[in-house]
Amino acid sequence: MTELNFEHRQAGHCESGVTSNLLNYHKLSLSEPMAFGIGAGLFFSYLPFLKMQHAPVTSFRVWPGMVFSRTTKVLGIKTHIYRFRDPKASMDKLDEVLAQGFPVGLQVGTFHLPFFPPEYRMHYNMHNMVVYGKTDDFYLISDTVMEQKVRISYDDLMRVRFAKGAFAPRGRMYYPYSFPSSFDLKHAIIKGIRKTAGNMVRVPFPLIGTKGIRYLAKQMRQWPEKLGEDKASYYLGQVLRMEEEVGTAGAGFRFIYGTFLDEAGTFLKQDWIKEVAVEMGHTANYWRQFSYLGSRNCKKRSGPGQSFDELADMLMECADREEKIFRNLVKIR
Amino acid sequence: MSDEENKELIYRNNRELHYGFDPEKGYVARVDYQYHGNQTIIQQGWDAAEDRLKEVSVKISAGKLSPLAWHMEKNLMELPMLSAYTGIMKWRIKRHLKPGIFKKLKPGLLGRYGSVFNITIEELKNPPIN
């Protein structure tokens, strides 16, 4: 039996929360928004040719795994990241690392996650949680979504680690094991901001960043006519679920990113970043308003809600505001 | 959250951490249930799944689909995912969705489906359709 002295802290987003909590265990205190910002977690992409749960994929974040790897890399922290073919081997390796005294981050699917709130048990394979110990029958889990620490049986854990489908975790496990004596947080913050800003306004591809938001807005206008009311509202609901549902900390990560900018401005002693953070906060509230009005269209058997044209206008406004914000941030030195 | 809005909450299983921005106070974080707007869109996802399940049930009763289709929908699985879980090729699963072919399947194959859905072969053959 192993039980590490791991502090469970809830977080808005699973991967940045796991990253922050893992570092915290090793006495490196980095807030969740800091981990998210340094790991350049904010993003936007709209991928109409990819369907998930019967609707096009919209994403407000970067690929799974990037927040952890970028944050640790830029801070000079050494990590091990493993994937497995054989489920049994993945569990043996987990036991071995736990016995060495390291809490371990795991990527898992949520459909078979027994302790998860039932309303979230969909086939979502990009969830992250920490294993911090093991008893005879159970693994001890810190999941940033949950209020309390939880536990899971061997069989259940193996099952969620080898969930199938899009972004299958393939037993992915990761943990930091070696820390430099000092690191340059200033450099890390600036690098993270520049990366995100670049992703949002400098990628010459129409489905990415602020261009992607505008593309989605244009498509959205045509949905009712092209798809009919029912499907249009389902597609809209899918965008909103990606924006607001569990793990985004609200408004498609915009709140958590603004919190990061606010902390970054304080740390770097650059007041203009704090001003941009306020801008980001208002924009995040606007995204929230968009999802609030949009959600009325998603209510069953309700009359006509917000028109898709108006919602698309709001998206355009979001894109304009974010373009301004990130064109500003990209100049950071 | 106002009391009236709180009454509308559907899901009260777990409180989460939410970040927010207050124009007066700046950035704030609090632990609470999802606010009712978000709960609406979560419910929409499940309602849509339920509707799809009903559609499939009708088709099964009419003899157009095999019971396998019901379990796929119940588990929110589409062809590629079921294929990945069972290791059965997609075109074969497609055949098994036809009632006539499903009826003739051997216990071995049925067992593979059953273990993925975590049910017995009997349950696999007889989904609870009214």
Side-chain angles (χ1 to χ4, degrees):
Chain A
M1 167 161 174
T2 329
E3 180 169 358
L4 304 171
N5 184 21
F6 191 83
E7 188 191 346
H8 174 67
R9 298 186 298 187
Q10 278 193 287
H13 168 47
C14 59
E15 194 187 337
S16 50
V18 162
T19 303
S20 163
N21 289 351
L22 282 176
L23 298 184
N24 184 51
Y25 176 82
H26 296 281
K27 306 274 175 282
L28 196 162
S29 147
L30 195 70
S31 72
E32 189 211 353
M34 272 286 182
F36 185 76
I38 291 173
L42 190 91
F43 196 54
F44 183 90
S45 61
Y46 172 64
L47 308 172
F49 46 85
L50 256 181
K51 293 264 182 2
M52 232 166 108
Q53 319 272 6
H54 309 273
V57 170
T58 313
S59 178
F60 292 81
R61 51 172 284 188
V62 294
W63 249 212
M66 280 176 112
V67 169
F68 176 78
S69 57
R70 274 184 192 152
T71 304
T72 50
K73 198 172 168 197
V74 72
L75 292 174
I77 298 163
K78 291 198 179 117
T79 61
H80 283 310
I81 302 176
Y82 301 101
R83 279 185 193 269
F84 301 86
R85 252 173 226 284
D86 175 16
K88 182 83 178 44
S90 80
M91 299 302 279
D92 292 346
K93 186 75 194 172
L94 174 62
D95 289 349
E96 181 193 319
V97 176
L98 275 177
Q100 290 166 6
F102 292 104
V104 180
L106 294 180
Q107 186 189 338
V108 297
T110 53
F111 188 74
H112 291 109
L113 209 51
F115 57 77
F116 229 39
E119 67 268 26
Y120 293 145
R121 275 184 230 155
M122 284 163 286
H123 292 284
Y124 177 78
N125 287 336
M126 295 169 270
H127 187 56
N128 289 272
M129 62 189 197
V130 172
V131 184
Y132 69 92
K134 187 189 177 186
T135 67
D136 291 341
D137 301 319
F138 290 100
Y139 285 87
L140 308 175
I141 306 290
S142 159
D143 187 314
T144 57
V145 170
M146 309 305 295
E147 290 180 64
Q148 312 288 343
K149 287 175 169 176
V150 287
R151 50 187 211 169
I152 188 171
S153 72
Y154 181 96
D155 291 337
D156 283 340
L157 184 58
M158 192 151 83
R159 184 169 219 183
V160 294
R161 291 184 71 190
F162 285 85
K164 300 287 188 341
F167 299 101
R170 287 187 285 138
R172 186 170 176 276
M173 61 181 259
Y174 53 94
Y175 61 98
Y177 67 94
S178 166
F179 295 81
S181 50
S182 71
F183 49 83
D184 190 351
L185 195 56
K186 189 181 160 198
H187 165 74
I189 291 172
I190 290 174
K191 210 172 159 186
I193 291 180
R194 223 186 277 158
K195 179 84 198 161
T196 298
N199 277 344
M200 288 301 289
V201 293
R202 284 196 171 165
V203 179
F205 188 65
L207 304 177
I208 303 275
T210 49
K211 290 192 199 78
I213 303 175
R214 293 201 181 98
Y215 191 92
L216 170 62
K218 275 179 212 148
Q219 297 263 303
M220 193 173 278
R221 278 184 217 286
Q222 300 163 5
W223 281 351
E225 208 169 304
K226 261 168 109 176
L227 308 165
E229 286 295 334
D230 281 352
K231 206 163 179 193
S233 89
Y234 185 71
Y235 272 31
L236 172 66
Q238 185 82 339
V239 173
L240 302 182
R241 276 189 287 281
M242 288 324 224
E243 182 193 325
E244 292 287 354
E245 217 177 83
V246 64
T248 71
F253 301 94
R254 269 56 185 169
F255 284 124
I256 190 174
Y257 196 75
T259 309
F260 158 69
L261 288 178
D262 194 48
E263 288 180 24
T266 309
F267 183 84
L268 300 173
K269 298 192 186 66
Q270 297 197 30
D271 281 344
W272 70 276
I273 297 180
K274 290 182 77 100
E275 283 163 28
V276 176
V278 170
E279 237 0 84
M280 190 86 235
H282 288 297
T283 308
N285 281 340
Y286 197 72
W287 274 104
R288 174 49 64 81
Q289 203 185 331
F290 162 75
S291 69
Y292 175 71
L293 293 174
S295 76
R296 293 186 188 169
N297 282 19
C298 302
K299 227 174 196 160
K300 229 182 175 182
R301 289 177 284 274
S302 69
Q306 207 73 9
S307 84
F308 279 74
D309 258 331
E310 282 168 276
L311 291 169
D313 288 342
M314 291 184 83
L315 270 184
M316 281 298 201
E317 170 79 20
C318 287
D320 290 347
R321 289 184 186 197
E322 293 202 351
E323 172 136 25
K324 220 175 114 203
I325 288 172
F326 290 111
R327 288 232 178 271
N328 222 339
L329 285 176
V330 90
K331 291 182 283 197
I332 191 171
R333 286 289 172 272
Chain B
M1 211 179 298
S2 74
D3 286 346
E4 195 173 320
E5 284 170 341
N6 240 327
K7 266 183 227 149
E8 288 177 41
L9 292 186
I10 316 152
Y11 305 112
R12 296 157 179 276
N13 294 311
N14 181 62
R15 290 186 180 86
E16 293 149 50
L17 180 70
H18 303 273
Y19 291 88
F21 178 76
D22 182 323
E24 311 285 303
K25 290 183 231 155
Y27 283 94
V28 286
R30 64 184 173 82
V31 174
D32 208 338
Y33 302 115
Q34 290 278 8
Y35 91 106
H36 67 287
N38 281 359
Q39 300 220 346
T40 307
I41 47 183
I42 295 171
Q43 193 188 28
Q44 185 204 28
W46 291 108
D47 284 347
E50 208 175 288
D51 288 347
R52 288 197 300 269
L53 194 62
K54 274 184 202 148
E55 264 171 51
V56 165
S57 302
V58 170
K59 282 185 189 161
I60 294 171
S61 303
K64 284 180 189 154
L65 277 174
S66 80
L68 180 60
W70 189 90
H71 294 286
M72 276 177 76
E73 208 48 76
K74 181 74 188 166
N75 287 275
L76 310 175
M77 285 188 189
E78 290 167 67
L79 267 182
M81 184 178 282
L82 183 60
S83 172
Y85 268 110
T86 54
I88 301 171
M89 305 274 265
K90 278 185 271 183
W91 64 267
R92 279 185 80 197
I93 298 179
K94 246 186 224 170
R95 284 186 71 233
H96 300 162
L97 290 173
K98 295 181 182 156
I101 291 167
F102 182 82
K103 259 182 213 147
K104 287 183 212 151
L105 289 185
K106 298 218 166 76
L109 213 44
L110 292 173
R112 273 163 83 182
Y113 284 123
S115 73
V116 167
F117 300 134
N118 219 354
I119 52 175
T120 63
I121 293 182
E122 252 342 278
E123 288 169 316
L124 181 73
K125 284 183 180 166
N126 303 299
I129 301 172
N130 304 329

